[in-house]
Amino acid sequence: MFLASPHDPLLAMWSPGPGEMLLLAVIALLLYGGELPEKARHWGKAFAEFRRNLSGIQNDINSAIYAEPPKPQRLQHYPEFRDVEPLTPAASPAADPLAEQPPADAPRPDEPTD
């Protein structure tokens, strides 16, 4: 008794049997004749290059997916600035914007005087 797995009919449909392989060989021989070894070599090189490019793309995708995130950078310490006093605003009237305002009861320059 023959017990088949559920995947066997699908695989049998896509894999050529010996008769189909012989038919493909005869068709290839009729189409290409003496150039068949050159064409087979060319197809083999093209297929190998396609596979190499496909694996390069797959490696790029895998490295992007499984890459570790970059470690956060630590703040650098500069000891030469430790003894310097911080900058303070100058004590001039130009540094204080409120010191330049005229008093509230003074007439404004754009208003006409009586």
Side-chain angles (χ1 to χ4, degrees):
M1 177 176 211
F2 179 71
L3 295 175
S5 69
H7 300 291
D8 286 343
L10 180 64
L11 293 177
M13 185 176 80
W14 291 107
S15 62
E20 288 129 357
M21 291 294 283
L22 182 63
L23 180 64
L24 289 174
V26 168
I27 290 173
L29 191 58
L30 288 174
L31 287 176
Y32 297 108
E35 297 176 5
L36 186 60
E38 287 179 29
K39 294 295 181 181
R41 195 174 305 116
H42 177 70
W43 290 338
K45 287 181 182 178
F47 183 70
E49 184 178 346
F50 174 73
R51 295 273 308 225
R52 187 173 33 253
N53 290 337
L54 194 60
S55 358
I57 292 171
Q58 184 178 8
N59 290 340
D60 290 344
I61 291 172
N62 284 339
S63 64
I65 291 173
Y66 298 114
E68 292 185 20
K71 294 181 181 178
Q73 294 182 351
R74 296 182 60 174
L75 294 176
Q76 296 180 356
H77 177 67
Y78 294 102
E80 62 267 12
F81 294 115
R82 183 176 354 155
D83 298 328
V84 177
E85 292 183 25
L87 296 175
T88 57
S92 68
D96 188 11
L98 297 177
E100 294 184 21
Q101 291 181 356
D105 59 342
R108 290 198 276 170
D110 58 342
E111 287 182 1
T113 56
D114 298 320

